[in-house]
Amino acid sequence: MTRAFELPDLGEGIHEAEIREVLVSVGDEVEEGETILVVETDKAAVDVPSPFTGSVQEIAVEPGDLVNVGDRLLVFGNGEPEEEAEQAPEEEAVQAPAEQVPEEEAVQTPEEKVPDEEREGPVPASPATRRLARELNVELGEVPGSGPGGRVTSEDVRTYAEEGAPEAPAREAEEEEVAEAPEAEVPEAEAEAPKVEMPAAETPSLPDFSRWGEVERQPLRSVRRTIARRMAQSWSQVPHVNHEDVADVTELERLRREYKEEIEADSLSLTVFVMKAAVSALKAHPRFNASLDVEADEIIVKHYYHLGMAVDTERGLIVPVIRDVDRKSISELSTELQEVVQRVRADEASLQEMQGGTFTITNVGLIGGRHFAPIINFPQVAILGMARAAWRPAVIEEEGQRTVTPRYHLPLILAFDHRVVDGADAARFMRRVVETLEDPNRLMLEV
């Protein structure tokens, strides 16, 4: 008996991946759970384990291939009985656990559920779900599946174990009630309003550049391909507006240099202090810590502070997430940020470390530049950019006397979604950031 293994659902709305490594060859014997492939999504590299024990009979992919969820990857022979290998495991297919999948993506509509009496053959469920059913003494054949094609998920098993089988008459009554419900009346003005559709942007054809000299074509793959797609998505959907300001961080720089040797990290950067100042501003102006649900006409305000930190790598710009910044000290954030950056640049960061950001900070100061216009990390509504901090002459007024003295200035650029917040909101947000950075005593209160 042969079994085909297809790319499983990787969660978090990820629908495709690039094959980075194929770790087996035709004829190899593998055990269930043994890593057979490494794929790269738009977030991170992911190890893909074998769904069952068997021999590799065919390999349908090679490094560099782009595959979608459901595409055939390998074919196995002499695998487990069909009941155990009916589907690739949902929960164990990749390192990212199933509970990372947002609830709205994990729960399917009632129409996709397959009634027990319509099932033919073995119940579609992953080995992890089967083990859970055995532990809870639940008969899988009696559990309605809410997954695609009627697949039974772990949540289905837990719900069944707690609540028992749903009553068919109750479901039928609900369906009849929905069927008999009168149609909602639509105001005449709304009913007549035509739907505005934006024309699709056409991609112009390129000339033959080789007519003028030697050219080289390089495939747009992996992280760079994802960056291109996401930047285009963000720029086309979000009305970007920039607001700039400058923070006088002279006293903060003195404090940073004084205490950096006591921090367990190799260095204590200004970025860590900006993270704290940003959270202070996010708490004071919560709409910058939000996402816009266009379909529902709702602003989703998040009451947690997970900051995405843009990291420059050889593969492109990667944005890991530092969680609960408001609950961590300067010392803790300094150490964690350094460790995360090292893992990202070594291509060792997990998929989970790339998820859940609410606001992003990007710092080009170490490279140079006094001004740039960052693009929002969709679906967030704002991003804070740090340019290069430097000593610059400033006019200081004391007791009516003006003097020119060197001060350490940090340029800051805030890009925001004008659908959610206005220019005045952005000005107030930036003043909160600047005032927090300019007053080290106030900043220490945020630790």
Side-chain angles (χ1 to χ4, degrees):
M1 181 181 68
T2 60
R3 299 295 298 172
F5 176 44
E6 302 171 344
L7 181 66
D9 185 353
L10 304 177
E12 286 288 318
I14 298 172
H15 304 294
E16 65 179 16
E18 178 180 338
I19 303 297
R20 288 188 55 182
E21 295 181 69
V22 180
L23 304 178
V24 294
S25 303
V26 173
D28 286 354
E29 296 288 337
V30 298
E31 299 289 333
E32 178 182 350
E34 179 182 343
T35 301
I36 54 177
L37 296 167
V38 178
V39 302
E40 184 169 34
T41 71
D42 58 0
K43 297 181 181 292
V46 178
D47 292 341
V48 180
S50 173
F52 41 76
T53 299
S55 62
V56 179
Q57 292 197 351
E58 177 188 343
I59 299 176
V61 294
E62 59 184 29
D65 286 352
L66 291 174
V67 292
N68 296 313
V69 171
D71 286 353
R72 174 179 291 198
L73 304 179
L74 294 89
V75 175
F76 290 88
N78 302 322
E80 295 180 347
E82 188 172 354
E83 179 180 345
E84 289 295 327
E86 179 65 25
Q87 296 287 338
E90 246 178 32
E91 293 81 4
E92 298 181 347
V94 294
Q95 288 180 333
E99 50 266 38
Q100 290 179 13
V101 181
E103 182 178 352
E104 58 269 24
E105 294 178 11
V107 179
Q108 305 296 321
T109 57
E111 289 77 10
E112 294 178 343
K113 295 184 180 180
V114 178
D116 300 336
E117 58 269 16
E118 296 181 10
R119 285 198 182 121
E120 295 182 0
V123 177
S126 70
T129 300
R130 298 178 187 279
R131 284 197 298 272
L132 179 62
R134 288 194 294 268
E135 292 171 1
L136 299 178
N137 294 321
V138 170
E139 177 58 47
L140 271 180
E142 299 176 358
V143 181
S146 66
R151 179 187 296 182
V152 177
T153 67
S154 296
E155 187 60 32
D156 294 333
V157 173
R158 294 189 184 95
T159 300
Y160 185 90
E162 294 174 1
E163 302 176 2
E167 297 180 4
R171 291 199 303 270
E172 292 174 2
E174 290 176 2
E175 292 172 0
E176 291 177 2
E177 183 179 345
V178 172
E180 295 174 2
E183 295 184 1
E185 294 184 2
V186 180
E188 185 176 349
E190 293 185 13
E192 294 177 355
K195 212 173 199 181
V196 179
E197 294 185 2
M198 296 296 292
E202 295 184 3
T203 303
S205 58
L206 298 176
D208 181 6
F209 297 109
S210 62
R211 292 168 50 195
W212 300 288
E214 182 179 351
V215 299
E216 176 187 0
R217 284 186 172 268
Q218 300 177 347
L220 190 64
R221 290 286 179 87
S222 189
V223 173
R224 178 50 54 189
R225 180 173 180 266
T226 299
I227 291 173
R229 183 174 55 196
R230 289 206 165 187
M231 292 300 100
Q233 176 193 38
S234 182
W235 190 254
S236 65
Q237 296 189 17
V238 177
H240 284 64
V241 180
N242 291 337
H243 181 90
E244 301 178 29
D245 210 331
V246 176
D248 184 340
V249 293
T250 306
E251 296 303 317
L252 184 60
E253 175 65 6
R254 180 192 60 78
L255 186 71
R256 185 187 73 85
R257 291 180 178 276
E258 180 179 348
Y259 288 101
K260 71 175 184 178
E261 300 299 332
E262 298 182 17
I263 301 297
E264 294 181 359
D266 290 342
S267 63
L268 177 60
S269 68
L270 278 175
T271 303
V272 179
F273 295 100
V274 173
M275 291 169 67
K276 276 295 190 180
V279 168
S280 174
L282 290 171
K283 287 184 175 181
H285 306 281
R287 282 202 173 184
F288 287 88
N289 202 53
S291 292
L292 177 63
D293 187 337
V294 176
E295 295 296 327
D297 281 336
E298 294 177 341
I299 298 172
I300 305 171
V301 178
K302 299 134 187 179
H303 297 292
Y304 51 92
Y305 304 92
H306 301 343
L307 300 191
M309 306 302 298
V311 178
D312 179 39
T313 74
E314 294 181 354
R315 298 183 297 134
L317 195 66
I318 309 294
V319 187
V321 176
I322 306 296
R323 302 184 187 280
D324 300 316
V325 175
D326 58 319
R327 303 179 183 178
K328 296 173 181 175
S329 68
I330 293 292
S331 176
E332 290 172 330
L333 288 175
S334 181
T335 302
E336 182 176 353
L337 179 60
Q338 185 184 39
E339 292 174 349
V340 168
V341 170
Q342 290 175 349
R343 286 198 298 274
V344 168
R345 288 180 173 159
D347 197 14
E348 297 175 351
S350 67
L351 183 63
Q352 186 176 5
E353 289 180 286
M354 306 294 167
Q355 300 169 349
T358 63
F359 182 86
T360 296
I361 294 176
T362 180
N363 182 3
V364 300
L366 294 177
I367 302 173
R370 296 180 60 176
H371 170 82
F372 68 106
I375 295 181
I376 296 168
N377 188 9
F378 184 85
Q380 297 170 17
V381 300
I383 181 171
L384 181 63
M386 300 170 57
R388 185 173 186 174
W391 291 95
R392 296 187 176 92
V395 177
I396 305 298
E397 183 172 355
E398 294 180 350
E399 298 180 356
Q401 298 295 320
R402 296 185 182 93
T403 58
V404 178
T405 184
R407 304 293 291 181
Y408 202 59
H409 284 175
L410 172 64
L412 298 168
I413 306 97
L414 177 71
F416 61 94
D417 187 339
H418 211 329
R419 298 172 301 175
V420 179
V421 290
D422 297 325
D425 301 320
R428 296 185 188 99
F429 180 94
M430 283 290 273
R431 285 315 305 166
R432 179 65 176 246
V433 172
V434 169
E435 289 170 0
T436 303
L437 291 173
E438 290 183 342
D439 185 355
N441 293 326
R442 179 176 179 175
L443 182 62
M444 290 304 106
L445 294 177
E446 303 292 335
V447 176

